[in-house]
Amino acid sequence: MLIARLIAEPDHLSTSLEAAKAQMGQGGVRIADAAMLDFCGQTMQIDSPDDDADVLRAALDAHFGRTDGLVTTDEPVVPRVFISDMDSTMIGQECIDELGDFAGLKERIAEITERAMQGELDFEQALRERVGLLKGLSTSAIDECLDTRIRPMPGAKILVETLKKLGCRTVLVTGGFHHFADPVAAQLGFEHVVGNRLEVADGKLTGGLVGGIVDSAVKKATLLAELDAAGEGVTSLATGDGANDIPMLETATYGIAYHAKPKARAASNGWIDRGDLTSVLRLLGIPEKDWVR
């Protein structure tokens, strides 16, 4: 069976649902029930005895406009492991692009970042190229960038702290850098951080990196290691926005693409296109009275 949870524009909700039902029916997906959740009033739950999630999602996308949603085969529960990307997911910026601005190279670096996040470039190659462009930049630019440019996404701290309170392990894993990820994690409440390390000499960036690269494979491996440590049958949640998040999003029980690139959204069983990160809590069915604000 399929369970879809959906947060959509309330106007014309019944009309949109009827149109979506008709399209699902043409694709062989029946609707057993559709109702607003009493404990999470903005969220509609749609139950189907069938199993074609692609048909169901296509109908939702076609008739509800911009939505936040999650499609699963079981009633959603609070996850035991939460793993998230950082840039453009937990924070509203791409750190390397903002750092590039201090070197007078933001436009050039941002173009490479965008192509990498769309899945058009090899991630490691793109990362090393961008870091190389920062050679000679003072580390004081990192501190200034953190203080003046880097801001959490709306709802990020509520999401992390609420899941922690409910017994969930929280991990920030980024293809960005510990110089940024460590303070962001401390601010938002993450318990563990995995990221890349910029090489520094004499107070300046050398244009290189220290150690291995955190790419899509490492993100997935980090999730699998956390699940192994947590025990058999553990439910997991992942959030991300780019192509390098796809293996992690696909592996998680609930992989939620946050205002994501098309490839990442298509690969996930959840998506946030409309709201902020508190929509994740609504889709999981966690009532507002239990949120940590």
Side-chain angles (χ1 to χ4, degrees):
M1 65 176 293
L2 292 173
I3 294 173
R5 286 186 173 170
L6 193 71
I7 304 169
E9 180 61 42
D11 293 343
H12 314 298
L13 199 60
S14 60
T15 302
S16 298
L17 179 60
E18 289 307 312
K21 278 184 180 179
Q23 182 172 325
M24 291 178 206
Q26 292 172 3
V29 173
R30 298 162 292 167
I31 299 299
D33 188 38
M36 304 303 291
L37 296 178
D38 291 339
F39 55 86
C40 199
Q42 298 183 26
T43 310
M44 173 189 290
Q45 180 162 310
I46 300 170
D47 299 329
S48 170
D50 302 307
D51 62 359
D52 195 329
D54 290 339
V55 168
L56 189 151
R57 284 190 62 172
L60 298 180
D61 285 343
H63 297 288
F64 284 92
R66 291 174 69 242
T67 61
D68 304 334
L70 177 65
V71 179
T72 69
T73 55
D74 297 292
E75 193 86 12
V77 298
V78 176
R80 288 278 306 283
V81 172
F82 170 45
I83 185 168
S84 181
D85 175 46
M86 181 176 71
D87 294 30
S88 297
T89 303
M90 285 293 127
I91 60 174
Q93 299 75 36
E94 292 286 335
C95 290
I96 195 166
D97 296 356
E98 298 304 322
L99 203 54
D101 200 18
F102 286 84
L105 295 167
K106 183 174 183 178
E107 186 173 333
R108 183 176 174 185
I109 288 176
E111 181 183 0
I112 300 170
T113 300
E114 177 66 16
R115 292 184 65 196
M117 293 303 98
Q118 293 283 2
E120 298 173 5
L121 298 175
D122 174 76
F123 179 81
E124 180 172 349
Q125 180 183 347
L127 179 64
R128 291 192 183 279
E129 180 180 355
R130 287 174 291 165
V131 171
L133 292 170
L134 299 176
K135 182 178 180 179
L137 187 67
S138 171
T139 54
S140 64
I142 296 174
D143 297 329
E144 186 177 350
C145 187
L146 267 167
D147 290 341
T148 62
R149 305 279 184 97
I150 306 306
R151 298 291 180 266
M153 280 289 190
K157 187 172 179 63
I158 295 173
L159 173 61
V160 176
E161 294 290 2
T162 299
L163 290 175
K164 269 201 330 187
K165 184 191 80 167
L166 297 174
C168 182
R169 163 87 164 161
T170 57
V171 179
L172 187 66
V173 57
T174 177
F177 314 112
H178 275 282
H179 281 89
F180 293 94
D182 290 347
V184 167
Q187 181 182 5
L188 298 181
F190 282 95
E191 298 163 276
H192 182 57
V193 182
V194 177
N196 295 305
R197 294 192 181 276
L198 292 163
E199 186 177 58
V200 176
D202 300 322
K204 295 182 179 181
L205 302 185
T206 68
L209 293 162
V210 178
I213 297 293
V214 177
D215 58 8
S216 61
V218 172
K219 289 188 173 190
K220 177 181 176 179
T222 300
L223 172 57
L224 291 174
E226 291 289 342
L227 291 174
D228 185 61
E232 190 174 345
V234 166
T235 302
S236 58
L237 165 68
T239 55
D241 74 299
N244 66 320
D245 298 315
I246 288 175
M248 175 180 76
L249 292 167
E250 290 177 326
T251 301
T253 313
Y254 314 125
I256 298 184
Y258 184 75
H259 293 275
K261 308 304 182 188
K263 288 182 180 179
R265 187 184 189 277
S268 307
N269 64 348
W271 62 96
I272 305 295
D273 294 340
R274 183 173 179 270
D276 64 26
L277 284 164
T278 61
S279 288
V280 176
L281 298 174
R282 298 187 192 281
L283 293 172
L284 294 174
I286 300 172
E288 285 194 54
K289 65 180 179 62
D290 294 334
W291 296 3
V292 177
R293 296 187 182 275

PDB file of all heavy atoms in Angstrom, residues 39 162 165 286-293:
ATOM      1  N   PHE A  39      -4.271  15.638  14.179  1.00  0.00           N
ATOM      2  CA  PHE A  39      -3.187  16.080  15.050  1.00  0.00           C
ATOM      3  C   PHE A  39      -2.189  16.977  14.319  1.00  0.00           C
ATOM      4  O   PHE A  39      -1.240  17.471  14.903  1.00  0.00           O
ATOM      5  CB  PHE A  39      -2.453  14.865  15.637  1.00  0.00           C
ATOM      6  CG  PHE A  39      -1.950  13.897  14.607  1.00  0.00           C
ATOM      7  CD1 PHE A  39      -0.724  14.071  14.006  1.00  0.00           C
ATOM      8  CD2 PHE A  39      -2.731  12.809  14.226  1.00  0.00           C
ATOM      9  CE1 PHE A  39      -0.264  13.183  13.056  1.00  0.00           C
ATOM     10  CE2 PHE A  39      -2.272  11.906  13.280  1.00  0.00           C
ATOM     11  CZ  PHE A  39      -1.040  12.100  12.693  1.00  0.00           C
ATOM     12  N   THR A 162      13.936  19.294  17.866  1.00  0.00           N
ATOM     13  CA  THR A 162      12.745  18.465  18.107  1.00  0.00           C
ATOM     14  C   THR A 162      13.060  17.001  17.898  1.00  0.00           C
ATOM     15  O   THR A 162      12.684  16.141  18.725  1.00  0.00           O
ATOM     16  CB  THR A 162      11.595  18.896  17.179  1.00  0.00           C
ATOM     17  OG1 THR A 162      11.254  20.261  17.448  1.00  0.00           O
ATOM     18  CG2 THR A 162      10.367  18.022  17.389  1.00  0.00           C
ATOM     19  N   LYS A 165      15.091  15.728  20.803  1.00  0.00           N
ATOM     20  CA  LYS A 165      14.272  15.537  21.998  1.00  0.00           C
ATOM     21  C   LYS A 165      13.498  14.227  21.934  1.00  0.00           C
ATOM     22  O   LYS A 165      13.260  13.563  22.963  1.00  0.00           O
ATOM     23  CB  LYS A 165      13.288  16.706  22.155  1.00  0.00           C
ATOM     24  CG  LYS A 165      12.457  16.647  23.439  1.00  0.00           C
ATOM     25  CD  LYS A 165      11.332  17.643  23.449  1.00  0.00           C
ATOM     26  CE  LYS A 165      10.142  17.159  22.633  1.00  0.00           C
ATOM     27  NZ  LYS A 165       8.906  17.964  22.872  1.00  0.00           N
ATOM     28  N   ILE A 286       4.434  14.925  13.572  1.00  0.00           N
ATOM     29  CA  ILE A 286       4.819  15.399  14.902  1.00  0.00           C
ATOM     30  C   ILE A 286       4.057  16.694  15.184  1.00  0.00           C
ATOM     31  O   ILE A 286       4.297  17.720  14.518  1.00  0.00           O
ATOM     32  CB  ILE A 286       6.327  15.635  14.974  1.00  0.00           C
ATOM     33  CG1 ILE A 286       7.077  14.325  14.682  1.00  0.00           C
ATOM     34  CG2 ILE A 286       6.719  16.187  16.350  1.00  0.00           C
ATOM     35  CD1 ILE A 286       8.576  14.479  14.533  1.00  0.00           C
ATOM     36  N   PRO A 287       3.135  16.704  16.134  1.00  0.00           N
ATOM     37  CA  PRO A 287       2.317  17.893  16.383  1.00  0.00           C
ATOM     38  C   PRO A 287       3.142  19.054  16.921  1.00  0.00           C
ATOM     39  O   PRO A 287       4.160  18.855  17.585  1.00  0.00           O
ATOM     40  CB  PRO A 287       1.280  17.406  17.405  1.00  0.00           C
ATOM     41  CG  PRO A 287       1.896  16.212  18.044  1.00  0.00           C
ATOM     42  CD  PRO A 287       2.787  15.575  17.023  1.00  0.00           C
ATOM     43  N   GLU A 288       2.657  20.267  16.666  1.00  0.00           N
ATOM     44  CA  GLU A 288       3.390  21.471  17.062  1.00  0.00           C
ATOM     45  C   GLU A 288       3.639  21.543  18.561  1.00  0.00           C
ATOM     46  O   GLU A 288       4.633  22.124  19.004  1.00  0.00           O
ATOM     47  CB  GLU A 288       2.651  22.721  16.595  1.00  0.00           C
ATOM     48  CG  GLU A 288       2.775  22.984  15.118  1.00  0.00           C
ATOM     49  CD  GLU A 288       2.321  24.384  14.738  1.00  0.00           C
ATOM     50  OE1 GLU A 288       2.831  25.353  15.328  1.00  0.00           O
ATOM     51  OE2 GLU A 288       1.432  24.496  13.870  1.00  0.00           O
ATOM     52  N   LYS A 289       2.759  20.972  19.367  1.00  0.00           N
ATOM     53  CA  LYS A 289       2.944  21.028  20.822  1.00  0.00           C
ATOM     54  C   LYS A 289       4.210  20.301  21.260  1.00  0.00           C
ATOM     55  O   LYS A 289       4.728  20.534  22.361  1.00  0.00           O
ATOM     56  CB  LYS A 289       1.726  20.430  21.536  1.00  0.00           C
ATOM     57  CG  LYS A 289       1.498  18.956  21.312  1.00  0.00           C
ATOM     58  CD  LYS A 289       0.272  18.452  22.061  1.00  0.00           C
ATOM     59  CE  LYS A 289       0.037  16.959  21.821  1.00  0.00           C
ATOM     60  NZ  LYS A 289       1.146  16.132  22.311  1.00  0.00           N
ATOM     61  N   ASP A 290       4.722  19.432  20.403  1.00  0.00           N
ATOM     62  CA  ASP A 290       5.945  18.676  20.731  1.00  0.00           C
ATOM     63  C   ASP A 290       7.215  19.303  20.132  1.00  0.00           C
ATOM     64  O   ASP A 290       8.298  18.773  20.335  1.00  0.00           O
ATOM     65  CB  ASP A 290       5.824  17.235  20.240  1.00  0.00           C
ATOM     66  CG  ASP A 290       4.752  16.467  20.986  1.00  0.00           C
ATOM     67  OD1 ASP A 290       4.459  16.825  22.138  1.00  0.00           O
ATOM     68  OD2 ASP A 290       4.180  15.508  20.403  1.00  0.00           O
ATOM     69  N   TRP A 291       7.063  20.394  19.392  1.00  0.00           N
ATOM     70  CA  TRP A 291       8.222  21.021  18.787  1.00  0.00           C
ATOM     71  C   TRP A 291       9.053  21.765  19.836  1.00  0.00           C
ATOM     72  O   TRP A 291       8.521  22.321  20.796  1.00  0.00           O
ATOM     73  CB  TRP A 291       7.811  22.022  17.714  1.00  0.00           C
ATOM     74  CG  TRP A 291       7.108  21.425  16.521  1.00  0.00           C
ATOM     75  CD1 TRP A 291       6.762  20.120  16.334  1.00  0.00           C
ATOM     76  CD2 TRP A 291       6.663  22.119  15.356  1.00  0.00           C
ATOM     77  NE1 TRP A 291       6.121  19.954  15.129  1.00  0.00           N
ATOM     78  CE2 TRP A 291       6.047  21.170  14.514  1.00  0.00           C
ATOM     79  CE3 TRP A 291       6.711  23.453  14.947  1.00  0.00           C
ATOM     80  CZ2 TRP A 291       5.505  21.524  13.275  1.00  0.00           C
ATOM     81  CZ3 TRP A 291       6.174  23.816  13.739  1.00  0.00           C
ATOM     82  CH2 TRP A 291       5.578  22.852  12.904  1.00  0.00           C
ATOM     83  N   VAL A 292      10.354  21.790  19.627  1.00  0.00           N
ATOM     84  CA  VAL A 292      11.272  22.566  20.481  1.00  0.00           C
ATOM     85  C   VAL A 292      11.558  23.875  19.778  1.00  0.00           C
ATOM     86  O   VAL A 292      12.197  23.902  18.733  1.00  0.00           O
ATOM     87  CB  VAL A 292      12.584  21.799  20.739  1.00  0.00           C
ATOM     88  CG1 VAL A 292      13.542  22.656  21.574  1.00  0.00           C
ATOM     89  CG2 VAL A 292      12.309  20.476  21.424  1.00  0.00           C
ATOM     90  N   ARG A 293      11.073  24.963  20.327  1.00  0.00           N
ATOM     91  CA  ARG A 293      11.219  26.271  19.700  1.00  0.00           C
ATOM     92  C   ARG A 293      12.323  27.082  20.379  1.00  0.00           C
ATOM     93  O   ARG A 293      12.589  26.913  21.531  1.00  0.00           O
ATOM     94  CB  ARG A 293       9.904  27.035  19.759  1.00  0.00           C
ATOM     95  CG  ARG A 293       8.796  26.356  18.953  1.00  0.00           C
ATOM     96  CD  ARG A 293       7.571  27.224  18.893  1.00  0.00           C
ATOM     97  NE  ARG A 293       6.481  26.590  18.162  1.00  0.00           N
ATOM     98  CZ  ARG A 293       6.350  26.633  16.834  1.00  0.00           C
ATOM     99  NH1 ARG A 293       7.240  27.278  16.123  1.00  0.00           N
ATOM    100  NH2 ARG A 293       5.334  26.032  16.239  1.00  0.00           N
TER     101      ARG A 293
END
